[in-house]
Amino acid sequence: MNSPTSPPDTPAPRFYDGTEYCKDQSIGFLMKRGLSVLVRNLEHQMQALDLTGTQWHPLLHVHQGCDTVATCAREMQTDAGAMTRMLDRLEAKGLLVRERSCSDRRVVNLALTPRGTEVAAQIPHVLAAVLNDHLRGFSPKEFAQMITLLQRFIDNGEALAEANQAAPGPDLVVQERTLDTNSDKTDS
């Protein structure tokens, strides 16, 4: 779902001022804090499925069609080594199996076991329940607006990241503090 964004040559609004910056009013800080609380609540609820936060996510991706380690790593925006460690735990629990491709030995295929399919099918219900609890008091209009605004925020960030890869960013000026060496001297 793409939303309209401002043209790249439109100046960014100035909602923040570095001289009066307050983290409690920072969208980034609030999003990180919101995500942290959401993850904590999800992990608590996933315990009923005997899953940790790092286990339910790849299990859900495999259930929804990620059939190789590389595809799953890309979907989760992580590296193949980290993905392999996550999958090791799921395989040890008997929830999935890995098998080298016969046509390309570099490819490792993933498949859920019957037990893995049963557990993975429950994950979306846990996610929906926790998300709905977090959205308590929101109207349908506010929910739709929140999705639209977050998507626009992401689109703007992705456009900025793409532009930053094309050209070097501005030089940051770091002011060094000089130490008064006389005040630190002690008599020996």
Side-chain angles (χ1 to χ4, degrees):
M1 165 186 192
N2 286 338
S3 58
T5 58
S6 301
D9 56 348
T10 302
R14 297 289 172 214
F15 295 111
Y16 294 99
D17 178 350
T19 61
E20 298 175 12
Y21 179 83
C22 173
K23 72 173 175 46
D24 294 330
Q25 295 299 312
S26 165
I27 288 184
F29 177 78
L30 292 171
M31 288 172 55
K32 182 172 173 75
R33 189 168 167 212
L35 181 60
S36 177
V37 166
L38 176 63
V39 166
R40 188 171 62 236
N41 289 324
L42 284 170
E43 286 182 350
H44 178 73
Q45 294 302 317
M46 291 295 173
Q47 288 176 358
L49 300 177
D50 191 31
L51 296 174
T52 66
T54 57
Q55 293 171 350
W56 70 262
H57 205 188
L59 191 65
L60 180 63
H61 279 287
V62 174
H63 183 66
Q64 294 179 336
C66 285
D67 59 352
T68 67
V69 172
T71 305
C72 203
R74 253 190 321 277
E75 282 292 313
M76 289 186 55
Q77 300 177 351
T78 189
D79 63 85
M83 180 56 55
T84 297
R85 290 186 295 278
M86 288 182 223
L87 297 174
D88 286 342
R89 293 178 195 103
L90 293 171
E91 194 170 30
K93 286 185 171 190
L95 300 174
L96 70 79
V97 291
R98 288 179 280 194
E99 195 172 280
R100 288 243 175 242
S101 168
C102 295
S103 60
D104 186 345
R105 298 289 295 158
R106 297 170 297 178
V107 175
V108 178
N109 294 313
L110 303 173
L112 296 178
T113 64
R115 173 79 179 126
T117 301
E118 179 186 314
V119 171
Q122 297 175 61
I123 294 172
H125 300 284
V126 173
L127 292 171
V130 172
L131 285 167
N132 285 332
D133 284 342
H134 277 253
L135 291 163
R136 186 173 292 132
F138 283 71
S139 71
K141 183 178 177 182
E142 289 170 327
F143 170 72
Q145 184 178 27
M146 185 175 193
I147 295 292
T148 300
L149 295 174
L150 285 171
Q151 189 59 56
R152 188 181 328 157
F153 186 82
I154 292 165
D155 291 347
N156 287 343
E158 288 177 346
L160 181 62
E162 189 175 308
N164 286 339
Q165 290 176 355
D171 291 330
L172 292 177
V173 177
V174 178
Q175 294 181 350
E176 291 186 26
R177 245 181 32 178
T178 57
L179 293 175
D180 182 359
T181 55
N182 292 331
S183 64
D184 288 346
K185 289 183 180 177
T186 59
D187 292 327
S188 307

